[in-house]
Amino acid sequence: IKSRAKEVSEMEQTIFAVKLKERGLTGVALARRIGVADSLVSHWRKGRIYVPEKYREQIARMLGVPAEQLFDERGLPKVVKG
């Protein structure tokens, strides 16, 4: 598992985390649906580690947005701008 060189600060949020909340999904619920540990989803939600390609489209479909909106080309969760 590759980790992010610069961790998302406490003040910043990932788009992934925002969309999860908007959909009313918890990290645990998402983890169960895609078959991974909830701690892994927690790291993804916080932008700490890369999301493997095999999960990106599945997550995007569940959240109702294109994968490109959630993740950069390497699989790092994008941070909310603004």
Side-chain angles (χ1 to χ4, degrees):
I1 298 175
K2 297 177 184 178
S3 65
R4 183 178 215 136
K6 181 184 170 203
E7 191 171 315
V8 175
S9 78
E10 293 296 318
M11 299 292 289
E12 297 174 317
Q13 286 191 76
T14 62
I15 297 169
F16 178 34
V18 170
K19 294 297 179 185
L20 257 179
K21 188 174 183 177
E22 285 176 1
R23 287 284 185 183
L25 280 172
T26 65
V28 172
L30 179 70
R32 287 185 181 147
R33 287 187 183 181
I34 64 174
V36 299
D38 57 322
S39 60
L40 187 57
V41 172
S42 177
H43 286 302
W44 293 343
R45 190 173 41 80
K46 294 174 184 175
R48 291 182 179 160
I49 59 175
Y50 297 84
V51 177
E53 191 171 345
K54 67 181 183 178
Y55 297 115
R56 291 181 218 158
E57 285 298 327
Q58 192 175 0
I59 292 168
R61 277 193 308 273
M62 291 175 69
L63 298 179
V65 296
E68 298 78 26
Q69 186 177 341
L70 299 172
F71 312 108
D72 70 13
E73 64 280 348
R74 298 170 296 165
L76 279 175
K78 291 181 178 179
V79 175
V80 175
K81 303 277 189 221

